[in-house]
Amino acid sequence: MLAENTDIDLVYFQRDQYISSSLVRQGYFPCSPLLHKSVISTRTLELYHHIFVRCPRLSIQPFVRALCDLHGIRFRNHLCVQFSEAYDAFRAVKTSILSSIKTVLGRDSPDWRSLNACPACQYPMAGESELEFEMLAAMDGNDSLKRVERREASGDASTPGRVKERYDPRVGGRDYFLDPKEVDEWDIKNWRNQEGWKEPAPQLSKTGAEKGCEDRWENMKKSHTEADRGIFDETGIFVATCRHMFVLWALDMIKSGEQRKYALAFLHRFLSAIKEERANLGLRLPGKKAFGYDIGCQLQTTLDTSPLQPLAEEENARMVTGSLHGHAHNRLCQLKFLLSYINGCGLEDLEVLERLFSLSNALAMAIRHASKFHRRQMISSWFYHHDNFEAYANLSKFIYNNYRQALTILEAKDSVISRMRAIGVLDGKEIFGWLDEEKEYLESRREEPEEDLNRMDLYVKQVKLNECRARLEAAHSAFIAYNPSDYPANVKRTNAVEQTMRHEQEKEEKLMSEVHFLERRLELKEPWTEDSEEWKKAKEMFKNHSYRKAVNRLEGLIVARIFELSKMHMAGTGMRQHLGKALKTRSKAIQEAVRTYNTAAAKLSPPREALSYDEVVEKAYVSELDFLKDTDSNIHEKIWAVPANRVLMTEYFKLFRASEELDRLHVEIHRLLTYMKEEQEYLWAVELNISENNPQLAYQVSLYRWERGRFNDLHRLRLRNIISLPGFDDTNRRFFRAGVGLKCQSQGEDERADDNMGEEMDVDRVNGEDDSDSEGEEGDIQAEAQVTAVLGVAVD
């Protein structure tokens, strides 16, 4: 595998201009371009590459150490350098081959991969059912894949040394990464450079982003998004995927936190490419697109005021919040952005990037001290492998599991309908009306009027003034009654007593000044007294305000607890111990917040029911606490505010979304079957077409065809099992047949291979028209398990 200073019989071909070419032709990659004292076999490099993309924690050094152990030689540091150079050459050749394949297939445009990553999302069919949202995608940032910037040692620990990054003209991951210059164009300070953009007047987003949501997110705070001048150059990665976890684009976060320019840059590139593709396909009307983001409400506000707004509106793009992050937003924000309340989203949660990052975090150790090129090379290699050997392999499994989940939810349909009728609800439109009523109510109580705030402030200042005057009177009496003879000669209290009285006088003057200022602002004709009606009203408002403040504190702690619990068992974070300690601390804080809440609730008129710690921590939805904030007792008499009805409303929307999910899955099944058929036909035709003139490239096309083609039989098996699920409607069998794709590429009918007929027969068996070879559902599941086991140990 590793040959150094060894006599190897090599045949140098006359057509090879360089010795390196002859070495590669015979299965060896040199460790340097000119001096060929050391070479590494292609099979060794291929083995390492496949091991690395399967287990990114395995960097080059432990692999080279293992090779040394196998060959019985002592490990030396320069062997890692040699292996790295040979591996770079190997990856360069693989990249060049892939580029040649894409060229001959007509897939070499910069945006082709992002527009055709997922067959289920991006392979539209002729005459297919129209969906409310033609595509569901998600985007998010992750700071695990950061890279240390190489600097010289500095004498001052507080000042970083001079940058000493080695110049490297190579750029890795062009297929997956956007250019940082393209990203910087969407920084807010550069918006004025965008053609035709005019700065709008300050206003709310068209969809009404809620004020206060940004305070709940670390990645929305200025301290997190501002430039990071620490030891890292790339401080993380921003990724966008479809709902099936196929990567659309990735962006490097450079010396900053998760700024909004990364989301805007992705949306501009992706939506522009979709617009151009739609024009090429001759499609006139764009379908709706939903992009999930943990702070989608605030990003929608930014989008509506940015230069990207016309394109987003033309392409019907809107922001939503995922199910996990969405439940930490306030209730009004949820009603506008949470997937559960948006028609057409089905059962999708759009938290796919949390799962992707739990896998990609394994790259962190390998890339932390890598160069810019090698970091991108490793990330893009992992993305490519994940898309073709993980996301595509699990595509039919995703469809099968979601189909089964939707059927399971729909089994409760009769029970939900009977409970709806029991409370007088005969039509689901009434439940949608509940949402509108709730939204209208919350809109009307968005903020407290400024006048009410001033009245509460005046009440607080007057209470403090009265308390200060009582203390001043006591201090003045103590000063008058002070007699030095009452104390020993060595004890002098004159200065202390006088100082206490002087401090209280200063506080009184300051409070009186503030009270007079607020009285002038409120235009009061006479000062308040404790017996006046204005005093009593302000006192009641302050009690309610303190109560809502206690609820907000409790809500914030529960939000933190939800996310800490969600990451306690997440692989790859390396934070389980820290999260465990944080949860213990958080529990004590929640207990204290519950006591504060109960104290404030008891002061209300009438008093609110006290909460226990167990009741609080078992809250499934933080949004339910929003109703505790409202001190209007009439709100709890509304039909949509009754706890039992709110549970019923949640179950009804689950049923509604399950039905939508089946509609989307039927389209995805139809697309997947068509894609498998047409993709294999096209690749077969290209391979046959070029095999005579360029057999080497034809062979590489066959390998390219087999990358995804190896999973097609498994997909058909899983899709066939859907038909056997309890509750499956036989009228939906029509979706289990290949159709005609709008993106179908063709070499001509006369050039198609005769073997394609076998593909059509497989589709017919999936369609249920030929079950003669079937051994029943149990045999199918057993066969699937066997195939999955074999694929798990097979070499890619």
Side-chain angles (χ1 to χ4, degrees), residues 432-678:
F432 280 94
W434 293 358
L435 284 186
D436 294 335
E437 287 184 37
E438 183 181 351
K439 188 186 300 183
E440 182 180 351
Y441 176 81
L442 294 174
E443 285 276 9
S444 66
R445 307 180 69 87
R446 255 174 132 167
E447 296 181 1
E448 294 180 280
E450 184 179 359
E451 183 178 354
D452 290 349
L453 294 175
N454 289 332
R455 289 180 179 276
M456 286 187 288
D457 198 12
L458 176 58
Y459 165 76
V460 172
K461 298 297 183 184
Q462 284 197 332
V463 169
K464 290 182 178 180
L465 178 60
N466 293 342
E467 293 174 351
C468 179
R469 284 173 172 171
R471 292 194 302 270
L472 177 59
E473 184 177 352
H476 186 265
S477 300
F479 179 77
I480 296 298
Y482 174 71
N483 186 1
S485 61
D486 295 339
Y487 298 90
N490 59 344
V491 177
K492 297 182 179 181
R493 286 182 46 85
T494 305
N495 292 340
V497 174
E498 184 178 357
Q499 186 178 24
T500 300
M501 185 178 66
R502 189 167 58 251
H503 284 173
E504 294 298 336
Q505 288 176 339
E506 293 174 355
K507 291 179 182 178
E508 181 191 31
E509 292 176 1
K510 182 179 179 181
L511 288 169
M512 286 182 63
S513 173
E514 293 174 348
V515 167
H516 291 330
F517 172 77
L518 290 170
E519 287 176 343
R520 289 193 299 271
R521 171 172 286 187
L522 292 171
E523 299 179 355
L524 298 182
K525 295 181 179 180
E526 56 184 19
W528 289 352
T529 62
E530 294 188 13
D531 297 331
S532 64
E533 288 297 323
E534 295 292 337
W535 176 284
K536 295 177 181 178
K537 290 180 180 178
K539 181 179 181 181
E540 193 65 27
M541 283 194 302
F542 180 72
K543 287 181 180 179
N544 295 337
H545 180 76
S546 300
Y547 170 79
R548 286 190 291 268
K549 188 176 179 181
V551 176
N552 284 332
R553 167 65 177 164
L554 185 58
E555 184 182 33
L557 291 172
I558 294 176
V559 170
R561 181 181 183 275
I562 287 175
F563 287 109
E564 285 163 356
L565 283 173
S566 68
K567 294 186 178 182
M568 270 295 289
H569 302 290
M570 185 179 291
T573 59
M575 296 290 290
R576 295 184 184 183
Q577 292 181 350
H578 299 286
L579 289 172
K581 293 179 180 178
L583 276 174
K584 292 179 180 179
T585 305
R586 192 80 62 201
S587 297
K588 296 179 180 178
I590 292 177
Q591 291 175 0
E592 180 62 32
V594 169
R595 286 192 288 268
T596 303
Y597 165 82
N598 289 334
T599 301
K603 294 181 180 180
L604 294 180
S605 181
R608 283 289 177 87
E609 184 179 352
L611 291 177
S612 68
Y613 174 79
D614 293 336
E615 290 175 337
V616 171
V617 298
E618 291 300 324
K619 287 283 184 184
Y621 299 100
V622 179
S623 61
E624 299 300 327
L625 290 176
D626 284 353
F627 293 104
L628 294 176
K629 299 176 188 177
D630 205 315
T631 54
D632 183 3
S633 58
N634 294 329
I635 187 62
H636 299 280
E637 298 175 3
K638 300 283 187 181
I639 187 172
W640 47 265
V642 176
N645 293 346
R646 296 190 66 77
V647 173
L648 179 62
M649 182 168 59
T650 300
E651 294 180 3
Y652 173 79
F653 277 111
K654 267 194 174 182
L655 289 175
F656 198 81
R657 301 302 168 227
S659 179
E660 291 179 342
E661 182 70 17
L662 289 181
D663 293 338
R664 179 172 294 277
L665 291 174
H666 290 148
V667 172
E668 292 179 350
I669 290 169
H670 200 192
R671 288 177 177 179
L672 179 57
L673 289 171
T674 304
Y675 168 83
M676 291 190 295
K677 174 179 176 293
E678 295 182 345

Side-chain angles (χ1 to χ4, degrees), residues 72-107:
I73 61 175
R74 178 174 58 86
F75 170 77
R76 286 161 289 180
N77 290 330
H78 73 274
L79 295 178
C80 289
V81 178
Q82 291 179 345
F83 188 92
S84 179
E85 296 294 336
Y87 182 68
D88 284 348
F90 168 79
R91 292 295 305 141
V93 170
K94 296 281 285 185
T95 302
S96 177
I97 293 173
L98 184 59
S99 177
S100 299
I101 293 173
K102 290 180 178 180
T103 301
V104 75
L105 294 177
R107 301 175 176 180

Side-chain angles (χ1 to χ4, degrees), residues 215-254:
D215 298 332
R216 307 185 184 197
W217 305 96
E218 287 296 324
N219 57 356
M220 286 295 296
K221 295 180 180 178
K222 185 177 179 181
S223 59
H224 186 87
T225 59
E226 64 185 3
D228 185 353
R229 293 180 174 81
I231 64 173
F232 299 106
D233 187 12
E234 293 88 354
T235 51
I237 189 172
F238 189 91
V239 182
T241 70
C242 72
R243 80 181 195 126
H244 304 99
M245 211 185 293
F246 288 89
V247 178
L248 302 176
W249 281 108
L251 301 82
D252 280 326
M253 297 193 296
I254 300 176

Side-chain angles (χ1 to χ4, degrees), residues 62-275:
F63 185 77
V64 172
R65 285 180 178 273
L67 290 180
C68 291
D69 294 341
L70 287 174
H71 286 270
I73 61 175
R74 178 174 58 86
F75 170 77
R76 286 161 289 180
N77 290 330
H78 73 274
L79 295 178
C80 289
V81 178
Q82 291 179 345
F83 188 92
S84 179
E85 296 294 336
Y87 182 68
D88 284 348
F90 168 79
R91 292 295 305 141
V93 170
K94 296 281 285 185
T95 302
S96 177
I97 293 173
L98 184 59
S99 177
S100 299
I101 293 173
K102 290 180 178 180
T103 301
V104 75
L105 294 177
R107 301 175 176 180
D108 51 349
S109 63
D111 293 297
W112 191 93
R113 187 203 57 79
S114 65
L115 293 173
N116 298 272
C118 177
C121 292
Q122 299 172 301
Y123 203 76
M125 305 283 299
E128 69 180 2
S129 303
E130 185 176 350
L131 298 173
E132 182 73 20
F133 288 99
E134 68 175 14
M135 185 172 188
L136 300 176
M139 51 187 176
D140 199 4
N142 179 28
D143 60 1
S144 295
L145 301 185
K146 57 185 67 173
R147 186 187 70 88
V148 175
E149 188 175 39
R150 298 180 182 180
R151 292 179 176 271
E152 295 179 350
S154 174
D156 185 4
S158 61
T159 304
R162 188 168 58 90
V163 177
K164 61 171 186 177
E165 294 277 0
R166 186 180 65 180
Y167 173 72
D168 192 342
R170 298 173 296 178
V171 180
R174 290 183 184 273
D175 258 8
Y176 282 92
F177 283 88
L178 289 183
D179 191 328
K181 294 181 180 179
E182 182 180 351
V183 175
D184 288 337
E185 292 177 1
W186 291 96
D187 197 346
I188 294 180
K189 62 185 178 183
N190 296 327
W191 284 3
R192 291 181 175 83
N193 300 330
Q194 300 287 341
E195 184 178 354
W197 180 76
K198 295 181 180 180
E199 186 171 0
Q203 60 181 354
L204 272 178
S205 162
K206 295 179 181 179
T207 47
E210 267 300 282
K211 181 179 179 182
C213 285
E214 68 273 14
D215 298 332
R216 307 185 184 197
W217 305 96
E218 287 296 324
N219 57 356
M220 286 295 296
K221 295 180 180 178
K222 185 177 179 181
S223 59
H224 186 87
T225 59
E226 64 185 3
D228 185 353
R229 293 180 174 81
I231 64 173
F232 299 106
D233 187 12
E234 293 88 354
T235 51
I237 189 172
F238 189 91
V239 182
T241 70
C242 72
R243 80 181 195 126
H244 304 99
M245 211 185 293
F246 288 89
V247 178
L248 302 176
W249 281 108
L251 301 82
D252 280 326
M253 297 193 296
I254 300 176
K255 295 184 183 298
S256 73
E258 192 176 327
Q259 297 180 349
R260 299 179 195 179
K261 67 178 181 180
Y262 301 113
L264 294 178
F266 157 70
L267 289 173
H268 174 258
R269 180 64 176 267
F270 190 60
L271 294 178
S272 299
I274 290 178
K275 179 181 178 180

Side-chain angles (χ1 to χ4, degrees), residues 163-398:
V163 177
K164 61 171 186 177
E165 294 277 0
R166 186 180 65 180
Y167 173 72
D168 192 342
R170 298 173 296 178
V171 180
R174 290 183 184 273
D175 258 8
Y176 282 92
F177 283 88
L178 289 183
D179 191 328
K181 294 181 180 179
E182 182 180 351
V183 175
D184 288 337
E185 292 177 1
W186 291 96
D187 197 346
I188 294 180
K189 62 185 178 183
N190 296 327
W191 284 3
R192 291 181 175 83
N193 300 330
Q194 300 287 341
E195 184 178 354
W197 180 76
K198 295 181 180 180
E199 186 171 0
Q203 60 181 354
L204 272 178
S205 162
K206 295 179 181 179
T207 47
E210 267 300 282
K211 181 179 179 182
C213 285
E214 68 273 14
D215 298 332
R216 307 185 184 197
W217 305 96
E218 287 296 324
N219 57 356
M220 286 295 296
K221 295 180 180 178
K222 185 177 179 181
S223 59
H224 186 87
T225 59
E226 64 185 3
D228 185 353
R229 293 180 174 81
I231 64 173
F232 299 106
D233 187 12
E234 293 88 354
T235 51
I237 189 172
F238 189 91
V239 182
T241 70
C242 72
R243 80 181 195 126
H244 304 99
M245 211 185 293
F246 288 89
V247 178
L248 302 176
W249 281 108
L251 301 82
D252 280 326
M253 297 193 296
I254 300 176
K255 295 184 183 298
S256 73
E258 192 176 327
Q259 297 180 349
R260 299 179 195 179
K261 67 178 181 180
Y262 301 113
L264 294 178
F266 157 70
L267 289 173
H268 174 258
R269 180 64 176 267
F270 190 60
L271 294 178
S272 299
I274 290 178
K275 179 181 178 180
E276 182 180 353
E277 181 189 49
R278 192 179 70 255
N280 294 335
L281 293 175
L283 302 178
R284 294 183 179 180
L285 299 177
K288 294 181 181 179
K289 305 162 192 69
F291 296 92
Y293 192 40
D294 52 5
I295 45 173
C297 55
Q298 295 300 317
L299 185 57
Q300 184 69 56
T301 303
T302 304
L303 186 62
D304 288 343
T305 57
S306 73
L308 191 59
Q309 188 273 335
L311 177 61
E313 185 174 1
E314 180 182 358
E315 292 299 318
N316 288 326
R318 65 156 297 172
M319 305 306 303
V320 297
T321 54
S323 298
L324 173 63
H325 294 87
H327 287 300
H329 289 251
N330 59 54
R331 182 62 179 173
L332 183 56
C333 186
Q334 289 181 21
L335 294 177
K336 297 176 181 179
F337 294 95
L338 187 63
L339 288 168
S340 303
Y341 304 119
I342 299 177
N343 290 339
C345 292
L347 297 175
E348 181 55 44
D349 59 6
L350 285 186
E351 297 292 352
V352 59
L353 282 164
E354 299 299 326
R355 297 185 280 273
L356 179 69
F357 290 151
S358 69
L359 300 173
S360 66
N361 283 345
L363 285 163
M365 292 184 288
I367 68 174
R368 187 58 49 86
H369 296 279
S371 66
K372 288 186 176 182
F373 167 75
H374 287 127
R375 174 181 173 274
R376 274 200 174 189
Q377 181 190 67
M378 286 186 279
I379 295 176
S380 60
S381 297
W382 188 86
F383 280 160
Y384 182 86
H385 181 273
H386 173 269
D387 283 351
N388 292 284
F389 295 95
E390 290 294 333
Y392 185 76
N394 292 319
L395 183 54
S396 57
K397 184 177 181 181
F398 176 96

